[in-house]
Amino acid sequence: MMQTIPLERYEKSASYIREKIGGAVPETAVILGTCLGPLAEEIEEPVVIDYTDIPGFLVSTVASHAGKLIYGMLSGKRILCMSGRFHYYEGYDFNELSIPIRVFHLLGVKQVILTNAAGAINYNYKPGDICVIKDHINLCGASPCRGQNLEEFGERFYSVNGMYDQKLRELAKSCAVKLGFSLQEGNYFFAPGPHYETPAEIRAMRLLGGDMVGMSTVTEALTAAHCGMKVLCLSLATNLSADRTADPDEGIDKVSQMVSGRFGALLREIVRQL
């Protein structure tokens, strides 16, 4: 039987981080996904903490993820930033993937900005597009909140209607227009990975309403909803989905480098207006 993570584990992580950041209470946290790590270098007055130093935390095994928690100033606001995240395909159970968000909750975070790199399912999307996520589809049959409920984080049964906050989505779209471009808005389809999806799976995802497909984000969003935190998710289309290209991995690095400046500007403007 799966073991529920005890509250003490989350509290140890939070206590260590709280001490390192001088007892500050950051209201906003940002999780940077694949190809989006360079934004972390723009944080001013940074306090950098390796994931490996945080008791009870997880360790990133993805080579492109820095594996660091950074506290500091971005656009005049104090934020917590995860440079690199954790995935089911790394071998973590869904309940373990609740740890970062629940630790943020204990630190006083009220809203979280999730970012990811994903494949474009929607025929109208192309590599380089940024999509603000309005909903997700998770057919894996698992939840990060499975197991004994910890009332300190939320109720046993909770609604996920409006999980991706509409006001934050509207803010993101208005910030993009201010910067001279527009955002897509669609649904994120969760795939466990680490292999890419088959063309048949992609066609099924499209029929079910998926616009983007990726291997992260949903566990963080579900955990945040359980904790009563507001969620904004921005998904960068770095490649076409498997039924639209012979090699879904082709061009990911090139696209991410091409769009990183625009994506970073968008995040900075959103944080400025929060």
Side-chain angles (χ1 to χ4, degrees):
M1 179 180 294
M2 181 196 73
Q3 296 296 313
T4 299
I5 297 173
L7 178 62
E8 290 75 16
R9 178 172 175 180
Y10 301 106
E11 290 177 331
K12 284 182 179 179
S13 296
S15 178
Y16 179 87
I17 296 168
R18 189 179 295 112
E19 181 180 352
K20 289 294 183 180
I21 65 176
V25 182
E27 290 194 358
T28 302
V30 179
I31 298 181
L32 299 178
T34 302
C35 308
L36 304 172
L39 182 72
E41 299 173 4
E42 300 183 23
I43 296 175
E44 300 175 346
E45 305 173 22
V47 176
V48 182
I49 310 170
D50 287 342
Y51 294 164
T52 53
D53 292 337
I54 304 172
F57 213 62
L58 304 180
V59 178
S60 180
T61 66
V62 181
S64 62
H65 290 223
K68 297 179 185 296
L69 180 66
I70 305 166
Y71 169 75
M73 299 289 293
L74 183 69
S75 298
K77 305 290 179 62
R78 295 202 172 273
I79 68 165
L80 271 176
C81 176
M82 282 180 61
S83 184
R85 57 149 54 88
F86 313 107
H87 308 79
Y88 177 73
Y89 66 72
E90 294 177 75
Y92 291 117
D93 290 331
F94 272 75
N95 66 324
E96 290 179 292
L97 295 173
S98 71
I99 289 175
I101 296 294
R102 285 183 166 177
V103 170
F104 287 167
H105 175 72
L106 292 176
L107 291 170
V109 171
K110 303 299 183 185
Q111 54 200 1
V112 60
I113 302 174
L114 309 175
T115 73
N116 63 60
I121 296 176
N122 190 311
Y123 285 128
N124 295 318
Y125 293 10
K126 62 184 184 301
D129 283 354
I130 301 172
C131 179
V132 59
I133 300 302
K134 63 180 180 181
D135 208 343
H136 76 233
I137 301 170
N138 170 24
L139 299 184
C140 291
S143 168
C145 298
R146 177 174 176 255
Q148 179 185 352
N149 187 55
L150 298 176
E151 296 291 338
E152 291 80 2
F153 297 115
E155 299 178 354
R156 166 80 288 180
F157 302 104
Y158 63 102
S159 173
V160 290
N161 290 343
M163 175 166 45
Y164 297 94
D165 189 78
Q166 183 174 357
K167 289 184 178 180
L168 290 179
R169 291 181 357 237
E170 294 301 323
L171 173 62
K173 289 187 287 186
S174 67
C175 287
V177 170
K178 179 180 178 180
L179 294 170
F181 59 93
S182 62
L183 302 179
Q184 303 283 9
E185 187 170 27
N187 301 318
Y188 181 90
F189 203 113
F190 174 69
H195 57 277
Y196 289 111
E197 306 74 38
T198 68
E201 288 170 336
I202 291 294
R203 290 192 293 272
M205 291 175 182
R206 188 178 293 115
L207 286 171
L208 290 171
D211 298 294
M212 303 282 280
V213 59
M215 304 173 189
S216 67
T217 300
V218 298
T219 53
E220 298 152 352
L222 288 168
T223 306
H226 184 235
C227 292
M229 297 163 66
K230 295 180 179 179
V231 177
L232 172 65
C233 179
L234 300 170
S235 186
L236 172 61
T238 52
N239 58 288
L240 298 175
S241 54
D243 70 329
R244 302 174 67 191
T245 178
D247 183 6
D249 199 38
E250 184 180 10
I252 289 180
D253 290 340
K254 181 179 179 180
V255 170
S256 62
Q257 291 172 10
M258 177 182 68
V259 184
S260 61
R262 183 171 59 181
F263 202 106
L266 176 62
L267 276 176
R268 290 192 300 272
E269 185 60 28
I270 292 170
V271 171
R272 181 177 292 110
Q273 295 194 33
L274 285 175

